């Protein structure tokens, strides 16, 4: 064999060519030598797994979680609370071996999201396996729609509360209920003459005042409050999604088609026993689902 220049290749050149060919034959299409061991991918550390049967819980929120006006006029009735009640089939009654001793209710009537960090600090001291949160109606129910809690502040206080929990209890689970549909409450309650009279005492004026008025300004006011509630729920969902042990309810509380049969006979605003029972059912389904349900 001769080269292109007509000269016979030297033994050294031939040996180099043979070595190069052998190397190419031994190389796979991805550049990995045939027969060579491929390093396995590093395994990602397993994250925390949701426990569908927690054995202790703490509930945070406002008058809804306190069972306000569910048993008697202008009084809390935590015994029928959807979360920790002992006289209804509450979430605690469904989940815990001993609901009376293994659950705590830190909700406060009138509370807004700005109060959640303080409630969370109280809950942390009990080291619960599950924390429930239902908060936001009072942020939207103000004397004037212009006084509603800004979405940024609402979100920041929720983030602060969740961060506080995580610093102390990184493996505690959180169930977050969406803010109820206040416009539906107006629609249902305004069918009752008694309800409309009670609302005149100052119950959620931003939505419920002048309940019979259907002029453009009144409709826009109600729509404004409704939009703000939806924005609150969007903030809850977004923050919760970033935490592997937080489950948002997927908007089920907000979407629930409650009627006057679910409302307190004293104020036509707060859930009665039946309404509390429905809230417990919605929470139980979400918490005991084997996997996080789709929103």
């Amino acid at each position: 064999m001769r080269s292109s220049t007509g000269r016979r290749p030297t033994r050294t050149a031939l040996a180099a060519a043979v070595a190069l060919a052998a190397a190419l034959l031994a190389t796979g299409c991805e550049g990995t030598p045939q027969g060579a061991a491929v390093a396995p991918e590093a395994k990602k550390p397993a994250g925390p797994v949701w426990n569908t049967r927690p054995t202790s819980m703490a509930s945070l929120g406002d008058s809804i979680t306190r069972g306000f006006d569910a048993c008697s006029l202008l009084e809390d009735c935590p015994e029928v609370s959807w979360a920790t009640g002992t006289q209804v089939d509450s979430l605690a009654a469904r989940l815990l071996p001993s609901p009376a001793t293994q659950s705590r209710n830190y909700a406060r009537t009138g509370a807004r999201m700005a109060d959640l960090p303080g409630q969370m600090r109280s809950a942390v001291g009990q080291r619960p396996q599950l924390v429930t949160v239902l908060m936001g109606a009072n942020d939207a129910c103000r004397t004037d729609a212009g006084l509603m809690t800004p979405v940024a502040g609402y979100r920041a206080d929720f983030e602060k509360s969740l961060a506080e929990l995580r610093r102390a209890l990184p493996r505690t689970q959180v169930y977050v209920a969406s803010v109820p549909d206040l416009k539906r409450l107006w629609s249902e309650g305004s069918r009752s003459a008694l309800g409309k009279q009670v609302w005149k005492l100052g119950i959620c004026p931003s939505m419920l005042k002048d309940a019979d008025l259907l002029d453009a300004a009144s409709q826009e006011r109600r729509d404004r409050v409704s939009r703000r509630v939806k924005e609150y729920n969007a903030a809850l969902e977004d923050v919760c999604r970033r935490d592997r042990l937080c489950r948002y309810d997927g908007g089920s509380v907000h979407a629930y088609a409650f009627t006057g049969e679910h409302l307190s006979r004293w104020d036509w605003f707060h859930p009665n026993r039946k309404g509390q029972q429905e809230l417990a059912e919605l929470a139980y389904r979400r918490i005991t689902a084997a996997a996080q349900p789709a929103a």
Side-chain angles (χ1 to χ4, degrees):
M1 178 177 71
R2 294 179 179 273
S3 67
S4 59
T5 60
R7 297 180 180 178
R8 188 182 298 276
T10 65
R11 291 184 177 181
T12 301
L14 286 173
V18 170
L20 177 60
L24 290 174
L25 288 173
T27 302
C29 62
E30 295 296 328
T32 302
Q34 294 179 357
V38 179
E41 293 185 6
K43 291 184 178 181
K44 296 180 180 179
V49 177
W50 183 271
N51 176 15
T52 60
R53 291 291 174 179
T55 58
S56 60
M57 62 178 280
S59 294
L60 318 181
D62 52 31
S63 54
I64 295 177
T65 302
R66 291 298 298 175
F68 185 79
D69 269 0
C71 301
S72 55
L73 178 63
L74 300 179
E75 289 187 1
D76 289 347
C77 189
E79 294 83 5
V80 300
S81 167
W82 68 272
T84 60
T86 55
Q87 296 180 9
V88 293
D89 193 15
S90 67
L91 180 62
R94 296 173 186 228
L95 287 176
L96 309 180
S98 179
T101 61
Q102 295 171 322
S103 66
R104 297 287 186 276
N105 191 324
Y106 295 102
R108 291 292 177 267
T109 294
R112 297 198 289 269
M113 186 56 79
D115 299 305
L116 188 64
Q119 291 185 18
M120 188 67 80
R121 284 190 290 273
S122 297
V124 163
Q126 296 297 321
R127 305 188 65 81
Q129 291 185 7
L130 172 69
V131 170
T132 69
V133 177
L134 173 49
M135 184 85 83
N138 291 322
D139 291 271
C141 285
R142 307 304 299 276
T143 54
D144 183 86
L147 298 175
M148 293 186 294
T149 302
V151 178
Y154 181 91
R155 179 190 181 103
D157 284 324
F158 180 54
E159 288 178 325
K160 180 180 178 181
S161 303
L162 200 54
E164 183 136 9
L165 175 68
R166 286 290 162 253
R167 282 193 295 271
L169 302 173
R171 301 191 71 83
T172 290
Q173 300 172 169
V174 183
Y175 164 76
V176 180
S178 51
V179 182
D181 186 349
L182 298 179
K183 191 172 183 181
R184 181 178 179 86
L185 191 150
W186 163 77
S187 177
E188 291 295 321
S190 60
R191 300 176 185 180
S192 166
L194 175 59
K196 289 184 289 187
Q197 287 299 316
V198 173
W199 290 350
K200 291 179 180 179
L201 298 177
I203 298 176
C204 196
S206 56
M207 175 62 75
L208 302 180
K209 72 177 180 180
D210 301 324
D212 286 326
L213 291 183
L214 299 177
D215 59 282
S218 297
Q219 296 285 42
E220 169 55 29
R221 168 173 53 81
R222 296 180 191 118
D223 288 343
R224 182 179 177 186
V225 176
S226 183
R227 287 193 300 271
R228 181 59 55 89
V229 167
K230 291 177 181 178
E231 290 169 342
Y232 290 161
N233 286 335
L236 293 175
E237 181 177 21
D238 184 57
V239 174
C240 192
R241 185 177 58 242
R242 300 168 188 270
D243 187 298
R244 298 185 68 171
L245 287 179
C246 184
R247 282 191 178 184
Y248 176 64
D249 76 351
S252 62
V253 169
H254 183 270
Y256 184 74
F258 63 86
T259 67
E261 294 181 354
H262 299 92
L263 301 177
S264 166
R265 60 175 176 163
W266 284 288
D267 63 22
W268 289 83
F269 179 83
H270 292 92
N272 58 18
R273 288 175 182 248
K274 186 174 182 178
Q276 293 282 349
Q277 193 69 63
E278 294 299 330
L279 290 173
E281 174 64 23
L282 294 173
Y284 181 76
R285 290 178 195 170
R286 202 74 176 184
I287 291 167
T288 59
Q292 170 74 309

